[in-house]
Amino acid sequence: MAKNKRTAFFISDGTGLTVEAIGHSLLAQFRDQHVEQVTLPYIDSSEKVHQALRRIEQTAAESGLQPIMITSIVSDQIRQQLHQSSALMLDVFESYLTPLANLFGRDPAQSVNVSHGIANDRRYSDRIEAVHFAMDNDDGRRVREFERADVILVGVSRSGKTPTCLYLALQFGLRAANYPITEEDMDSTALPKILRPYRDKLFGLTIDPRRLMQIRQERRANSRYASIDQCEFEVRQVEQMLRRAQVSYLNATQLSVEELATRLMSQAGIERRID
């Protein structure tokens, strides 16, 4: 652990996905602060709490800075144990459950893993079906299934289409396909003929050519495919194509996959299939 580098621990008695998302959002408001981020899931017993506390206190001693502890713990007993830490503790349940309990006039159920468990078989099945659809329709493999898609992402190779499709499927249950615009498609600034029947489902992703070059160098170092001239040409041609076809698009260069997915849905007016 680097000295003088603060650490934020995201602690949950479940998967940690919820508190991690909240923690990332909170810390993003302090971009000038360099904070190491550590997720500790399934802290659901006294033994695991003691292990977590030892790690937190060791981190505090090594860095010389008070750690941050952002938690989503259902159990009152475990929350009280965590309060023994010297870290700044921010607990999601303590902040929100009491006001909600007062509003509803009843105590919370205190059930672990309610938000991420397989409590609804139909919801789980829809999510898995959407993931399979995204995988089957990656890189335009099954164009005949585009009719079933909720959205079809288009853009140059390595612009972030595949991870965005998988995120849309896993988080929102959307059937997301993608189609890479190849150099052969760029002979014209018109949409490839195969995509034209689905223009109302298309959404484009673009990327800074230099960032694209870096990504492609990792895949095919020193190739024409990864050259800056080729990357600039492809990005320019695809952006012209999308503008001419009046297809909305986003620049993926500075956006995480989470931001890409949510902005895409908002801009395209697409609603989630699962809650």
Side-chain angles (χ1 to χ4, degrees), residues 27-260:
L27 294 174
Q29 305 304 311
F30 303 93
R31 295 184 183 275
D32 59 328
Q33 300 295 310
H34 300 290
V35 181
E36 184 83 16
Q37 300 179 21
V38 178
T39 301
L40 301 179
Y42 302 112
I43 304 300
D44 53 8
S45 69
S46 292
E47 181 181 352
K48 291 179 181 179
V49 171
H50 290 316
Q51 292 173 354
L53 289 175
R54 283 196 296 270
R55 181 171 179 178
I56 292 168
E57 297 310 315
Q58 181 181 355
T59 298
E62 291 177 355
S63 68
L65 294 172
Q66 183 185 21
I68 301 165
M69 186 166 57
I70 303 176
T71 67
S72 60
I73 299 292
V74 171
S75 167
D76 289 334
Q77 181 181 353
I78 291 179
R79 281 204 302 271
Q80 291 307 312
Q81 288 179 279
L82 289 172
H83 272 296
Q84 299 171 17
S85 169
S86 64
L88 170 67
M89 181 172 169
L90 308 172
D91 188 83
V92 174
F93 282 95
E94 284 184 344
S95 299
Y96 300 110
L97 278 184
T98 298
L100 284 172
N102 291 336
L103 175 67
F104 293 133
R106 53 163 294 181
D107 292 331
Q110 297 200 349
S111 299
V112 178
N113 279 336
V114 171
S115 61
H116 293 289
I118 309 177
N120 185 317
D121 289 342
R122 177 61 183 275
R123 181 176 180 271
Y124 180 76
S125 297
D126 289 346
R127 187 196 302 270
I128 296 304
E129 191 276 333
V131 170
H132 285 164
F133 183 91
M135 294 172 67
D136 289 342
N137 289 277
D138 187 37
D139 278 345
R141 290 176 188 166
R142 297 188 179 182
V143 178
R144 65 182 181 277
E145 292 193 8
F146 278 7
E147 187 63 42
R148 296 179 55 226
D150 295 306
V151 62
I152 304 166
L153 300 189
V154 295
V156 300
S157 171
R158 313 306 290 179
S159 59
K161 300 183 300 302
T162 297
T164 304
C165 283
L166 288 172
Y167 188 85
L168 288 167
L170 187 61
Q171 294 297 322
F172 306 114
L174 293 172
R175 292 190 294 266
N178 75 76
Y179 182 92
I181 305 296
T182 65
E183 191 169 1
E184 291 73 23
D185 295 321
M186 298 175 197
D187 291 338
S188 167
T189 55
L191 283 174
K193 185 179 296 185
I194 203 165
L195 294 177
R196 293 174 196 170
Y198 313 106
R199 200 191 70 79
D200 60 332
K201 297 185 177 187
L202 301 182
F203 198 96
L205 295 185
T206 188
I207 188 171
D208 178 81
R210 293 197 173 275
R211 176 57 183 151
L212 180 61
M213 178 187 70
Q214 293 172 352
I215 296 171
R216 288 184 173 184
Q217 283 288 350
E218 295 175 2
R219 186 179 179 87
R220 298 182 197 170
N222 303 317
S223 64
R224 176 174 173 272
Y225 168 79
S227 69
I228 186 61
D229 288 343
Q230 182 67 18
C231 291
E232 288 179 341
F233 166 75
E234 291 186 24
V235 169
R236 182 173 59 251
Q237 289 296 104
V238 168
E239 287 184 356
Q240 289 178 358
M241 181 185 296
L242 296 174
R243 286 194 294 268
R244 179 174 177 180
Q246 296 184 315
V247 172
S248 298
Y249 64 90
L250 283 170
N251 190 312
T253 309
Q254 299 294 331
L255 298 178
S256 66
V257 67
E258 295 90 347
E259 290 174 309
L260 270 176

